[in-house]
């Protein structure tokens, strides 16, 4: 007998699952209020699924006993069938081999080498930024994050229409995968109605675009020294062989998806928070005025602002693991094969760990207690599967914010954004009024 955490009966699970399709964050938070920071729902005839926002349990799964936890089939099958089998979507020996091969591309020095291109991309983007009008900045920050990945990791030029198509296809695939995961009882219908096939077609088209880029690069015989070159040239330690074309394509698509959507969301939320907290905005502008690139990316206040924004709106708001063998944590015990969702959004707003959790207060990341925040703050995950692009993303966001606040003033305009918890936590829109600062 296993001792699962408390939770819902069969009918309770079904009712909550229906509610969660519409409003996942509220439904989960409500369940946490009822059962505490770890609860369970029915997952099969005899099995249950768990959800936790307990930081020690999360740390246990991601780090302390990580060997006993894989990513679930939602990621390795449902997501992978559209975005491919690569770093984000694989497990075990295959994942480790890929991680070792790709990790050097994200080494500290490599990222430093990308700073100038990041900065140029940001400056170019800000030159065309719409001012003196009400504008939804969410698609814009997404586009910027897309361009930064494109220009830094894959030094290629694509026509705007193609970039738009890539962005749209990636967004639509994501919406479909999440609908499929949230409504397992409708899987048969998604197959039958041709929705799976249509999304596979979108994925095929995306891969064809990226495949063409790869082929052109191979036949040009010019060295670019970017991540794409690195992926094409990298050799596995054990065999001395490189990746197949399909493998490289999988990894490129995954880096595109993982690398732009998360950062774009975080930037949009941060601009909204700055627009609604002028004191923080003015302080950020004052302390970062005239900083060089290397000073910007390491400035404690700018890092605190980004962290505080990702505390309130973690782009990866939840992710999951499945236990391989029977395991236990505290008073709970559960069999191998149990899916556990890690509810980062809930932990980041839990008043047990954060004073006045709903207020936007970057200073909490600078104060004396900040050393403890690492234990209750997981925007980039943790353990061996920690986000490979975390420094890349932090540097990009710091450079963007410094440039943005030095040039523009911003104020909220229109309805506040609503959270859309898909694979990432998106705002439905972020309407702002942007004004150029007269120098
Ligand atoms: C604000 C920006 C970002 C956030 C919040 C974020 C968050 C995360 C999280 C939470 C994970 C771990 C998921 C899990 O353990 O199940 C992850 C993994 C990953 N991220 Fe990021 N990410 C960001 C930016 C990036 C960027 C810029 C890239 C690449 C250019 C990237 C590439 C990846 C990849 C490839 C993985 C899988 C790593 C592995 O499993 O070995 N991410 N990210």
């Amino acid at each position: 007998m296993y001792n699962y955490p408390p939770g819902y009966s069969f009918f309770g699970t079904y009712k909550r699952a229906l509610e969660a399709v519409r409003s996942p964050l509220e439904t989960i938070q409500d369940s946490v209020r009822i059962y505490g920071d770890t609860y369970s729902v029915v997952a099969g005839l005899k099995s249950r699924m768990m959800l936790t926002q307990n930081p020690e349990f999360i740390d246990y799964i991601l780090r302390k006993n990580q060997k006993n936890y894989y990513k679930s089939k939602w990621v390795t099958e449902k997501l992978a069938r559209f975005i491919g089998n690569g770093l984000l979507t694989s497990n075990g020996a295959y994942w480790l081999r890929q991680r070792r091969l790709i990790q050097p591309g994200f080494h500290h020095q490599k990222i430093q080498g990308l700073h100038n291109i990041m900065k140029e991309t940001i400056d170019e983007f800000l030159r065309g930024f719409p001012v003196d009008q009400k504008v939804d900045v969410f698609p814009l920050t997404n586009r910027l994050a897309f361009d930064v990945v494109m220009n830094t990791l894959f030094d290629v030029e694509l026509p705007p229409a193609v970039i738009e198509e890539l962005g749209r296809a990636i967004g639509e695939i994501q919406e479909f995968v999440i609908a499929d995961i949230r409504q397992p009882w409708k899987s048969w219908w998604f197959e039958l109605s041709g929705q799976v096939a249509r999304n596979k077609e979108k994925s095929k088209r995306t891969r064809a675009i990226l495949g063409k880029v790869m082929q052109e690069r191979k036949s040009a015989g010019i060295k670019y020294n970017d991540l794409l070159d690195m992926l094409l040239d990298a050799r596995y330690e054990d065999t001395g062989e490189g990746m197949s074309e399909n493998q490289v394509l999988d990894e490129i698509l995954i880096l595109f998806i993982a690398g732009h959507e998360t950062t774009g969301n975080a930037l949009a939320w941060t601009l909204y928070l700055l627009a609604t907290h002028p004191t923080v905005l003015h302080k950020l502008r004052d302390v970062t005025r005239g900083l060089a690139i290397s000073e910007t990316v390491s400035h404690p206040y700018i890092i605190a602002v980004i962290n505080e924004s990702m505390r309130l709106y973690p782009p990866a708001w939840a992710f999951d693991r499945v236990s391989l063998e029977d395991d236990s944590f505290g008073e709970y015990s559960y069999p191998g094969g149990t899916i556990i969702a890690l509810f980062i959004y809930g932990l980041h707003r839990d008043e047990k760990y954060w004073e006045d959790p709903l207020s936007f207060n970057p200073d909490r990341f600078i104060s004396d207690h900040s050393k403890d925040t690492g234990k209750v703050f997981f925007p980039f995950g943790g353990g061996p599967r920690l986000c490979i692009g975390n420094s890349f993303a932090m540097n990009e966001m710091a450079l963007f914010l410094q440039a943005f606040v030095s040039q523009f003033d911003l104020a909220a305009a229109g309805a506040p954004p609503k959270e859309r918890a898909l694979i990432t936590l998106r705002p439905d829109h972020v309407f702002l009024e942007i004004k150029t600062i007269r120098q």
Side-chain angles (χ1 to χ4, degrees), residues 1 15 45 63 81 95 170-171 228 241-242 258-259 273 281 384 393:
M1 273 304 281
K15 184 170 166 281
L45 273 184
R63 209 171 51 81
R81 68 180 163 166
W95 164 77
I170 291 171
L228 179 54
E241 308 250 310
L273 288 165
L281 170 66

Side-chain angles (χ1 to χ4, degrees), residues 257-323:
I257 294 177
H260 94 276
E261 163 84 29
T262 41
T263 315
N265 294 356
L267 283 178
W269 286 117
T270 310
L271 289 184
Y272 172 71
L273 288 165
L274 289 174
T276 46
H277 296 82
T279 323
V280 177
L281 170 66
H282 295 144
K283 180 167 174 190
L284 185 65
R285 183 176 295 141
D286 284 348
V287 299
T288 61
R289 185 168 289 127
L291 291 186
I293 290 181
S294 61
E295 295 163 331
T296 303
V297 296
S298 56
H299 195 282
Y301 194 67
I302 208 162
I303 292 173
V305 168
I306 300 168
N307 279 341
E308 177 66 346
S309 161
M310 289 197 298
R311 180 183 71 77
L312 283 169
Y313 300 105
W317 62 281
F319 38 92
D320 70 47
R321 290 294 188 270
V322 55
S323 58

Side-chain angles (χ1 to χ4, degrees), residues 71 87-88 95 99 106 153 254-255 258-259 262-263 266 310 315-316 319 321 379-381 385 387-389 392-393 397:
K71 292 203 171 183
L87 205 48
L88 185 76
W95 164 77
R99 179 91 190 199
F106 287 88
L153 303 184
I254 280 172
L255 287 169
T262 41
T263 315
M310 289 197 298
F319 38 92
R321 290 294 188 270
F380 292 109
R385 299 205 70 155
C387 173
I388 202 169
F392 181 98
M397 292 190 283

Side-chain angles (χ1 to χ4, degrees), residues 154-196:
F154 313 102
D155 186 4
V156 287
E157 297 257 345
L158 289 179
V162 173
I163 295 184
E164 232 145 73
E165 186 183 344
L166 271 177
R168 200 174 43 246
I170 291 171
E172 286 169 5
I173 290 172
Q174 193 190 158
E175 299 222 6
F176 175 70
V177 170
I178 211 75
D180 190 21
I181 290 174
R182 292 220 181 116
Q183 303 164 90
W185 58 88
K186 273 195 180 168
S187 280
W188 64 273
W189 167 248
F190 291 142
E191 285 281 356
L192 206 71
S193 61
Q195 294 188 57
V196 172

